[in-house]
Amino acid sequence: MAVQPWGDQGHGMAKPPASVPPVPGMPPAAPPHGAMPHAAPPHVAMPQSAMRAATADRERTVDVLKAAFAEGRLSAAEYGDRFDAASTAQTYGQLARLVADLPSGPMVAPQMMAPMMAGPVAVPVPPTFLAPPPARRTNALAVTSLVLGLLCVPTGGMLGVPAVITGHIGRRQAAERNEDGDGMAVTGIVFGWLSIAFWALILTTAVLFG
């Protein structure tokens, strides 16, 4: 009787196997009289095939068999035979043999062996141990423009022209040198032009009504 993938079939209560699972390195035993030779695909050799499998490995193999049966890749008899073999498999090689002809299979190598097989693995350094990025410098002329622009108020706008000049030069230098201070330069330029406009208004009024 074939085991259905949607039934209650805990691995601890799997039905007895129809035959003893094959041992890695030995040819599979001949099927009993009347049995169909479709229990599993040919044996797949791998370096870790003799390592003992865990319960989680058998569960992953059964999940692959369930998906293959639901997709029509395995018949009911094939699924039942492979389920029995997966439930009692003892090594990675026995599990890999059951899913070698299916799109996916279990992790056939222990996680502790994977880095040794793949070679050195670059482990990222936690951000805590990384050196902080270098701080960007602030352009000196941008700071000067900001100071001059703010001093335009108590000085009556007398520093407006220097604030505008240093502000424009500071913005250009900050862009070329990848420095901070663009906002400071813009503030100094705004205060400078306001001061210039204030004095221009005063002079124009004096000329017209003087």
Side-chain angles (χ1 to χ4, degrees), residues 3 8-17 62 80 83-88:
V3 180
D8 184 9
Q9 51 183 21
H11 296 292
M13 301 178 62
K15 65 180 183 178
V62 171
F83 175 84
D84 291 339
S87 301
T88 56

Side-chain angles (χ1 to χ4, degrees), residues 28-94:
H33 180 71
M36 297 296 293
H38 50 231
H43 176 68
V44 178
M46 66 193 77
Q48 286 76 30
S49 60
M51 289 189 176
R52 297 185 66 85
T55 301
D57 302 315
R58 287 185 282 270
E59 292 176 353
R60 285 193 291 266
T61 303
V62 171
D63 290 339
V64 174
L65 296 176
K66 288 180 181 179
F69 178 77
E71 295 169 356
R73 303 179 188 275
L74 297 176
S75 64
E78 288 174 329
Y79 172 76
D81 293 340
R82 298 193 189 192
F83 175 84
D84 291 339
S87 301
T88 56
Q90 299 298 322
T91 64
Y92 283 96
Q94 294 172 355

Side-chain angles (χ1 to χ4, degrees), residues 100-131:
D101 59 344
L102 299 178
S104 61
M107 183 181 298
V108 296
Q111 295 183 3
M112 59 180 294
M113 295 296 297
M116 297 177 60
M117 297 174 58
V121 179
V123 180
V125 180
T128 306
F129 301 99
L130 293 176

Side-chain angles (χ1 to χ4, degrees), residues 195-205:
S195 300
I196 294 173
F198 172 74
W199 281 106
L201 180 61
I202 293 179
L203 294 176
T204 302
T205 303

